[in-house]
Amino acid sequence: MSGKNDAPKDPRTDSASARLKEIRHEIDAVDARLLRLFNDRAALSLEVGAIKAKEKGSIFKPLRERDLLDKLSRANSGPLPDGHMRAIWREILSSSRALQKPQNIAYLGPEGTFSYFAGLEYLGHSAIFHPCRDIAQIFEEVTGGYCDLGVVPLENSLQGTVGVSFDLFLKYDVKIEAELYSRISHCLLSNESSLSDIEKVYSHPQPLAQCGCWLRSHLPNAALIPVESTAAAARRACGEPGSAAIGNGKLGAMLGLKILARAIEDEQDNWTRFVIIAPVSGMTAPRVERLAPAQQCGADKTSLLFTLPDKPGSLAIVLDLLARGGINMRKLESRPLRGQPWRYVFFADVESDLNNEIHSDLLHELGLVCTSFRVLGSYPTGPQMDRATQQDAPDEGGI
């Protein structure tokens, strides 16, 4: 007697199942080869670390890493997307640095802030991240030798300069090793299941302001409560019925919160520029590192800090020197000089590697016309970490 389930099987189903089994065996074999290659690379990294241990200097080499990623990108024929490739190799590079020497990274805490996620994505999960109570402590941890690097928010495309960061470059002997740009996109996080259940919203004052139109439209009766960080806001939302937080979407996974709404910011094109700082001493005079050979591909951006004599035309002389050198200035900002009322210090970004020896004469002239002059660092133009395209939401206005 034949049953209802005795219908003949589709041979295409059997064929697909067999092929799927073959593919899984092939993937296992590829994974085994990858593991051997990763261990070969790790062994070479350990050897590099043993050699570097005899030298002074940072393990982090952003120029070398940028060139490596660009080279791999040019060689990548697919189907692996370029963004996936770069994310994979950033973690490989993070592991390599950690094998050479454990990397302690200072950032604006607590864990879960946008500074944390920006540093994690750029420097990788193999680094050891140390939260700081404020930006000043990041500089203290780096110059004191407690941390190798620091992740510092420098400016936001909507709010402008993070003034305290610029001021701290005057106080501490640090250099800029690298920069990165992170897209700011906010999420509403809660234990509740519906917007109708939300009675209060916690966040840092900046995202509360940046999401003002959305909040007035969707949660007009909710109380808006500012707190010290989006990470702190999310933790409050965890334990209070009827509450929500605005913050990074990754906070939801970290704390077990639901994402009730994504991309709730009023302005979509919102970015924060971070710089990676490292310790250095003896920077009262221009700090010039020679490249050998001069034609070697190097940095394409330099940050400067200088003060000028109080007389007409002082700034014009600096601008003229840069113009005659064919150097484009991307940013120029003045900040009050602490301890000297009505005096100012200038922070500038230029599109050039001023540490290249071809600019030796220009640096010398700039040092002569300025009252004080520092090259804060020459580094590659930073990558854009567009978290919004990955449905992640960054944090307190970019800090």
Side-chain angles (χ1 to χ4, degrees), residues 208-280:
L208 286 175
Q210 290 175 356
C211 303
C213 291
W214 188 93
L215 288 168
R216 286 191 294 273
S217 175
H218 294 82
L219 294 171
N221 299 317
L224 306 182
I225 306 173
V227 293
E228 62 271 22
S229 72
T230 53
R235 286 174 172 82
R236 288 202 184 191
C238 280
E240 297 183 19
S243 65
I246 297 175
N248 193 312
K250 282 183 172 290
L251 279 168
M254 181 182 292
L255 299 175
L257 292 169
K258 303 181 185 72
I259 297 180
L260 297 187
R262 298 181 184 274
I264 64 174
E265 64 276 5
D266 301 332
E267 298 283 346
Q268 298 298 311
D269 195 21
N270 185 1
W271 295 80
T272 290
R273 177 191 178 197
F274 287 87
V275 291
I276 308 298
I277 62 170
V280 70

Side-chain angles (χ1 to χ4, degrees), residues 121 181-184 271 384-391:
E121 184 177 7
Y181 296 86
S182 286
R183 175 90 176 264
I184 309 305
W271 295 80
Q384 293 187 339
M385 305 295 190
D386 190 349
R387 305 302 303 172
T389 61
Q390 302 174 40
Q391 294 189 329

Side-chain angles (χ1 to χ4, degrees), residues 44-191:
L44 292 172
S45 293
L46 287 169
E47 187 175 353
V48 169
I51 295 170
K52 286 184 178 180
K54 303 172 185 176
E55 306 172 356
K56 291 184 177 180
S58 174
I59 296 294
F60 180 47
K61 302 294 182 185
L63 285 171
R64 157 70 178 158
E65 294 185 6
R66 187 274 310 268
D67 292 344
L68 172 62
L69 290 173
D70 288 348
K71 181 180 179 180
L72 290 169
S73 181
R74 291 191 296 269
N76 182 22
S77 59
L80 180 69
D82 186 72
H84 293 190
M85 182 278 294
R86 289 177 179 269
I88 291 167
W89 251 268
R90 285 194 186 281
E91 291 299 333
I92 292 172
L93 293 170
S94 178
S95 172
S96 294
R97 289 194 300 269
L99 287 170
Q100 293 174 31
K101 178 188 173 185
Q103 295 287 281
N104 295 293
I105 314 297
Y107 72 94
L108 184 61
E111 183 179 7
T113 62
F114 186 47
S115 293
Y116 170 75
F117 287 119
L120 192 68
E121 184 177 7
Y122 184 65
L123 295 169
H125 287 72
S126 296
I128 304 167
F129 289 88
H130 295 271
C132 295
R133 64 182 177 275
D134 52 34
I135 297 176
Q137 190 184 2
I138 299 174
F139 281 77
E140 292 168 4
E141 295 288 306
V142 171
T143 55
Y146 305 107
C147 287
D148 303 281
L149 301 171
V151 181
V152 176
L154 199 62
E155 56 184 324
N156 179 265
S157 60
L158 299 181
Q159 270 75 41
T161 295
V162 181
V164 64
S165 297
F166 283 91
D167 294 339
L168 290 166
F169 278 107
L170 290 168
K171 184 177 180 181
Y172 294 94
D173 284 341
V174 298
K175 60 181 177 179
I176 297 176
E177 290 273 33
E179 69 171 4
L180 65 143
Y181 296 86
S182 286
R183 175 90 176 264
I184 309 305
S185 182
H186 300 296
C187 287
L188 187 73
L189 311 171
S190 179
N191 276 325

Side-chain angles (χ1 to χ4, degrees), residues 175 280 287-291 353-357 363 378:
K175 60 181 177 179
V280 70
R287 180 176 182 270
V288 181
E289 293 180 353
R290 307 299 185 187
L291 296 180
D353 181 1
L354 290 190
N355 276 329
N356 194 313
E357 63 182 15
L363 281 181
S378 293

